[in-house]
Structures are given as C-alpha cells and as structure tokens.
Amino acid sequence: MDFTFVNYAWLIPVFPLLSFLILTALGKGGRKLGPIIGVVAAFVSLGLALLVFFERMDGSAAAYTWEEWRWLDVGSFSLYMGFEVTNLNALMLVVVTLVSALVNLYSLGYMAEDERISTFFAYVSLFTFSMLGLVISSNIVMLYIFWELVGACSFLLIGFWYHKPEAKAAAKKAFIVTRIGDVGLFVGILLLFWVMPGHQLDFSTIHNAFVGGEIDDGIATWIALLIFVGAVGKSGQFPLHTWLPDAMEGPTPISALIHAATMVAAGVYLVARTYDIFLASSVALEVVAYVGAFTALFASTIAIAQNDIKRVLAYSTVSQLGYMMLALGMGSELGLAAGIFHLFTHAFFKALLFLGAGSVIHGVHNQDIREMGGLFGKMKITAVTFLIGTLALSGIVPLAGFWSKDAILSETLHHGHYVLFAVGLLAAFFTAFYMTRLYVLVFLGKSRAKDAHAYEHAHESPFVMTLPLIVLAVLAVAAGFVNLPGEAPWLAGWLAGETIPEPANWTVIVSSTVVALAGIAVGYFVYRRPGAVDPSKETGPALLRNKYYIDEIYQAALVAPYRALGQLLQLFDTYVVDGVVKLATAATVGIGRLGTRLQNGQMQTYGLIMLLGCLVFLAALAGRRFL
C-alpha cells in the first residue's frame, strides 16, 4: 500500500508546536498577531489530520510505523522514537485537531479582552501538540513523555487566571491528583519493560507478546491494572475524579478542550491503545467495567444538584467517561468500538455544550443557573445549538449520543452483565434529567437574575463564537451515523479491519429511549413550574450538593494527616536539622574568636598559655600512671 499522506503524519503535531514557539518568542508583542497564528496552526493540523484519516479509509487495518530515531542506549537495549498511524489514532487525530481548531476560533471572541491572550493561545498550542504527540507515539515510553506534558499543560491552563485563588488551587489539585494515577502508569511501564521479550516497548511488540500468550496471566493483570490507574487519573474516574470539576476554574474554551478531546480522552485512548494487555486479563477487564459503570452512575447523581453551569457539564463528562470505560471492560472488538464510538460522538456534543455554556457566561456574566432563565429569546443561536447538544447527550434518536450510548448498552447486555446494564440505564435517566433541568433553568421561563440590568443587556455572542457552535451542532446530529447497527457497522469494522456484524438490539433501543424520555419529562415538569427554583436557596439533597463529601473525606483522611506530618517535619527541620547546623556554626565562630583572643601579640599571654599547657600535660601523665 502506498502511504502518501501518512508518511507526513508527524507534521500534524509540529504546527501547534511551532505556534507555541513563535508565540512564546513574541511575548506581549504578539497580542494581535498571536491569536491568528494559533488559529492558523490549528486548522493546518486539522487539514493534515483529515488527509491522513481519508487515506486510512481504504479498509486496511495495517499500521504504518516509522521508528528510526535511536534516542537512548542502555547496555544492549536501545530505545527508538518515531510515530505510528493506525485506524484508531487516525480517528483520534481528527477528533483532537477538529475540536482544537474550533476552540481556537471560538477563543478569538471569548478571550478578546484578556490581557494575556497571546499567552493563552501559546498554552493551547502546546496542549494540542502534547495530545497529538501522545496519539501518534510509536511506543509506550514516548506516550508517557507526552502524557506528562499533557498534565503540565493542563496545570498551566486551569490556573491561567492565576490571580484567582480558586484557579490556583484547582490547578494544583489537578496536577497532584493526576500525578497519583501517573505513578501507577509509570510502575506499570517499568513492569512491562521487565517482562517484555528484549525489553522492547513499541506497540507492535506488545501486541505480539500478549496476543501470543508470552506473558503470564498474573503479570498481565498487574500491568493492566497499573495502566488503568493512570487512565483513572487522567479520565477522572472514581476515586480520582475530584480534580475534574474543579478544573472549571480555567477559561471556558479550555474546559471544552479538556473535557472533549484532550486530557480526559487520553485515559480512554490509553486503555484502547494497550487493549491487548487488558484482553490477557479477565480480572482487569472486570475492574475496568465495574469502575466505569459505578462512575457513570455516581457522577450523574452529583450533576443533579450542581448550580454552576460548567460544573453540571463537568460531572456529565465524568459520567460519560464511565460509559466509555464500561464498554472497554467488555473485552471484545465491539466493546472497543463502542467505547471509541462514544468518545468520538461525545467530543462533539460535549464541546458544543461547553462552548454554549461559555456563550451564556459571555452574555450574562454569571455561571449560576439559578439566576438565569428566559435566555432563549436573547440568545437564539446559543439556545438552539445547546438544545441539540442536550438532546444528543440525553440519547435521543437520531442524534449522535443515542447511537453511541446504545452501542455500549447493547454490548453490556450481550455479555450478560445485567447489573451493569441496569446501572447504565439508570445513569441514562439521570443524564436526561439533569440536562433538562439545566436547559429549562437557563433558557426557558422568566429571568431569575438578581440584577435585572444584567438580563436586559444579555446578548448573543459574536459570529466567531457562534460559528463553532453551529459546526459542532451539525456534528452532534450527524456523527452517530458512522456506526449504525447492522450487518456491517462502518466504524467497528474499520477499527478492527474486518466486518463485524452488530444487529440492532430492540430491547436496548426501546428501553434507553423510554428512560431518556422519562428523564426529560420529569426534569421538565419539575423545573418548568413557577417558583421551582429560588436563587437565594440551595437546591437538591445536601449529600449530592456536597458531592457525597468525597473532598471532605480526602481532606480528613489524607490531606490533614499529611499536612500534620509536614508540620512535624518542619519542626524537626527547624529545631533539629537547623539546630545542628547553627550549633556547628556557633562552635566554629567561637573557636575562631577564642583564637583571635589568644593570638594577641603579648608575651604574658603566650607565657600563661604555655604554663597552662604544661599543667594539662603533667595532669594527663599523672592520671595515666594512677590508672
């Protein structure tokens, strides 16, 4: 096969990197030119990604690998760097570059008044480069390098408005919590290096070793679970989910990028990229499935009682990532395809919802949905596109979320996981309920704004912000048709390189539709009533408002003891370590001062010292004889 564009796939992450370097060099002088450079670089990468993607659509599943840069030698072991293009990461390249390009375009309007706009676009470019480098990495060490760079970029962007204490705290929290998962991934890579034939860590060799049964099942389980720990951290799965909602302190375009195509997608992609390891361990697959199902339900219940428009969507992301993990835990080609399918569709409607939320915030300068209402007439484009995103996320036919969520539920039911299927349906009900609540409180009814002046001046966002909304709304409608159930669903067959029939499961179709419509109906009738929400009062059970007190539990069980230990160590450092140093210093200074007193040039002093020395010497001799 003649790989024309695939040969140049390495250029896809290069353009965002060049954008970052140029914007960094320009500094504050790039305020006007910088955003344009960032947008152009993003769209060039998107164009190259589309060319690679269309070239891969010939049905071949063979990977194109270039790995000729000899980077590191350790004894007889050599580590090579390069890039690899498969059908899976060709799809991911399109998702990342498309969402990144639209977010860059949207940010021209959203960040227009920010003094550090050039720095913002530089960070976004570096973030995009990191994720694209992660996607096309040819071995797991290279993937880990970019994995950590993605984490560093998230720290910079979540804490972009560093003058806000909440933003600084959220950035530190995201960095520390995800590092916990990264330690697991790092240990898993070390264990993988230890057991792999020839210590080779490229994905082709990993595939052959685990598919060929060369690795012991017990070791495979440990490796898979440790890799999954890394995915749990990045994709915000329970119990390392707490950083993701707090990441909303960053600018809204970054929330869209993190939640739709980059950081959280990295965890799901990691499991999919190393799926051969998971297939070698039924225990690891069960852990992935049950953690995903629990997270899907757990996060969806929390979203019901949140009042910050971005936090509702944040917990929605955590829940939907749980669905993806549930699919991957099925341990089949269709399960893998269903998880990636949902990742694909979710990227579009979740980016749409976050950018729609940003449009609302831009128009009313408020994030509390209790103080909104009646915005449909003020922001028609935002309202209509947000409605499409809401229905897609709720799983209403024929929008994208319906097809991808049903694919997951169908595969779960097909493998006989009835409890997990029930959990998935319940999470789908709550998803439809909280999204209907969100839409009703923001766009319908009358305004509940405390400041009537703010509502009167609410307005639609500029075209540079609404255009990405329209594009994403179209994709939220159409993206689901790439993998319709039947004798030959395109996406599943394309990812696997062979035709895999997936008959329509009418039990799932009917039940999921009924559940989604029920959630919408309940949400509408509960919150459409006059006076259903009082802006001055909290809504929902305290347990859900406070997110099951998970942060408080961590604070009491982990943070407080470590902080107390740190204070004890600080006291030890101050009074013991520093005390010893100060004592040694004082002794040295004292001896020096004594020496200066003795060496004063007076004969009487020298004679007295000699006499005292002789007495000490004689006393020592007498003592020795006595003993």
Side-chain angles (χ1 to χ4, degrees):
M1 179 179 177
D2 184 19
F3 293 100
T4 305
F5 295 112
V6 175
N7 290 328
Y8 300 97
W10 59 274
L11 286 171
I12 297 173
V14 166
F15 285 99
L17 176 61
L18 289 175
S19 170
F20 166 73
L21 295 175
I22 293 171
L23 291 175
T24 302
L26 289 175
K28 293 183 179 179
R31 177 173 173 78
K32 292 184 178 180
L33 183 61
I36 303 301
I37 294 173
V39 171
V40 170
F43 274 94
V44 171
S45 290
L46 171 60
L48 287 173
L50 288 172
L51 291 174
V52 171
F53 175 75
F54 288 129
E55 188 174 78
R56 297 291 304 182
M57 287 180 64
D58 63 353
S60 172
Y64 174 82
T65 305
W66 183 91
E67 197 176 34
E68 298 181 14
W69 176 28
R70 191 171 178 176
W71 183 54
L72 186 65
D73 290 320
V74 181
S76 61
F77 169 73
S78 296
L79 181 63
Y80 289 84
M81 292 296 185
F83 68 96
E84 184 171 75
V85 179
T86 65
N87 289 350
L88 172 62
N89 58 22
L91 180 67
M92 284 297 300
L93 288 173
V94 172
V95 170
V96 174
T97 54
L98 177 56
V99 174
S100 175
L102 293 175
V103 165
N104 273 274
L105 182 62
Y106 178 94
S107 299
L108 289 176
Y110 192 88
M111 301 295 292
E113 304 301 322
D114 197 287
E115 294 181 356
R116 298 172 63 232
I117 186 172
S118 180
T119 303
F120 173 83
F121 276 89
Y123 288 170
V124 171
S125 295
L126 182 62
F127 198 17
T128 304
F129 159 72
S130 305
M131 187 63 193
L132 292 172
L134 184 154
V135 167
I136 64 171
S137 295
S138 59
N139 62 70
I140 199 166
V141 174
M142 188 176 174
L143 182 147
Y144 185 75
I145 294 170
F146 283 107
W147 179 275
E148 291 299 329
L149 190 54
V150 165
C153 293
S154 69
F155 172 81
L156 294 173
L157 287 165
I158 293 170
F160 180 76
W161 288 324
Y162 57 86
H163 56 276
K164 296 169 56 180
E166 300 85 358
K168 290 190 291 186
K172 289 188 291 185
K173 185 176 182 179
F175 192 78
I176 293 170
V177 173
T178 54
R179 290 296 75 69
I180 297 171
D182 293 355
V183 169
L185 175 58
F186 180 69
V187 175
I189 293 173
L190 291 178
L191 187 56
L192 187 63
F193 173 79
W194 180 42
V195 302
M196 282 294 295
H199 304 298
Q200 296 301 309
L201 294 174
D202 60 282
F203 290 111
S204 298
T205 304
I206 291 173
H207 168 81
N208 294 333
F210 282 89
V211 171
E214 298 179 38
I215 309 299
D216 179 75
D217 290 350
I219 296 295
T221 298
W222 278 108
I223 295 172
L225 290 176
L226 288 166
I227 290 174
F228 183 59
V229 170
V232 165
K234 275 288 192 289
S235 290
Q237 297 295 281
F238 181 87
L240 300 180
H241 65 283
T242 55
W243 70 269
L244 197 50
D246 288 356
M248 298 302 95
E249 295 298 337
T252 300
I254 295 310
S255 301
L257 195 58
I258 289 176
H259 284 251
T262 53
M263 190 162 176
V264 299
V268 177
Y269 175 76
L270 174 66
V271 176
R273 194 73 176 91
T274 58
Y275 207 49
D276 296 314
I277 300 175
F278 287 85
L279 291 177
S281 171
S282 59
V283 173
L285 288 171
E286 286 191 8
V287 170
V288 173
Y290 279 93
V291 169
F294 177 80
T295 304
L297 181 59
F298 173 80
S300 66
T301 58
I302 295 177
I304 291 171
Q306 301 305 303
N307 296 314
D308 185 309
I309 186 172
K310 289 170 66 177
R311 283 185 179 267
V312 175
L313 298 178
Y315 278 106
S316 170
T317 299
V318 176
S319 180
Q320 298 307 304
L321 291 166
Y323 269 107
M324 298 173 205
M325 293 298 186
L326 171 60
L328 294 173
M330 293 301 101
S332 63
E333 292 288 354
L334 284 177
L336 173 63
I340 297 302
F341 184 29
H342 198 51
L343 175 65
F344 174 70
T345 61
H346 176 265
F348 302 134
F349 57 71
K350 185 53 61 70
L352 168 61
L353 290 169
F354 266 110
L355 296 184
S359 180
V360 170
I361 296 167
H362 183 268
V364 302
H365 305 289
N366 194 353
Q367 294 184 204
D368 193 332
I369 61 177
R370 295 171 299 176
E371 299 179 20
M372 298 181 188
L375 292 178
F376 192 97
K378 298 277 188 178
M379 309 175 72
K380 286 187 171 61
I381 296 176
T382 300
V384 171
T385 54
F386 200 95
L387 177 61
I388 293 173
T390 297
L391 295 176
L393 176 56
S394 300
I396 299 300
V397 65
L399 304 183
F402 168 80
W403 302 109
S404 57
K405 189 178 293 183
D406 273 25
I408 295 172
L409 294 174
S410 295
E411 192 64 8
T412 304
L413 187 62
H414 174 73
H415 283 81
H417 293 286
Y418 302 112
V419 173
L420 297 181
F421 174 73
V423 169
L425 279 181
L426 187 58
F429 170 82
F430 285 128
T431 301
F433 176 79
Y434 67 68
M435 286 307 300
T436 303
R437 169 182 179 263
L438 174 63
Y439 192 85
V440 169
L441 293 183
V442 173
F443 294 104
L444 304 183
K446 297 181 179 180
S447 173
R448 297 176 301 280
K450 294 179 180 179
D451 184 1
H453 179 76
Y455 172 75
E456 292 299 325
H457 286 78
H459 56 85
E460 184 61 272
S461 299
F463 180 70
V464 74
M465 293 173 64
T466 56
L467 177 60
L469 297 181
I470 295 170
V471 173
L472 289 167
V474 172
L475 291 170
V477 174
F481 293 101
V482 303
N483 198 54
L484 296 178
E487 290 301 316
W490 180 80
L491 183 63
W494 181 67
L495 290 174
E498 58 180 327
T499 302
I500 305 177
E502 185 183 1
N505 190 322
W506 287 101
T507 301
V508 174
I509 291 174
V510 173
S511 59
S512 66
T513 301
V514 169
V515 163
L517 292 176
I520 291 173
V522 173
Y524 182 84
F525 286 112
V526 168
Y527 290 100
R528 191 68 176 87
R529 294 178 295 106
V533 173
D534 185 347
S536 63
K537 296 180 180 179
E538 295 287 350
T539 59
L543 183 65
L544 301 183
R545 286 202 315 270
N546 292 284
K547 302 156 284 188
Y548 293 99
Y549 298 98
I550 298 297
D551 282 295
E552 289 77 4
I553 292 172
Y554 286 167
Q555 180 70 28
L558 297 174
V559 178
Y562 274 106
R563 184 169 292 170
L565 177 62
Q567 291 172 346
L568 288 175
L569 292 175
Q570 185 177 10
L571 291 173
F572 179 83
D573 183 67
T574 301
Y575 294 105
V576 178
V577 177
D578 287 356
V580 170
V581 173
K582 290 176 181 178
L583 179 61
T585 303
T588 303
V589 172
I591 292 171
R593 287 177 178 174
L594 178 61
T596 60
R597 287 178 178 271
L598 296 178
Q599 303 294 329
N600 57 10
Q602 296 180 0
M603 292 298 295
Q604 304 94 312
T605 303
Y606 297 154
L608 178 61
I609 293 172
M610 292 175 64
L611 178 60
L612 292 175
C614 288
L615 290 174
V616 170
F617 179 70
L618 291 173
L621 287 176
R624 182 176 180 184
R625 286 185 178 182
F626 177 76
L627 294 174

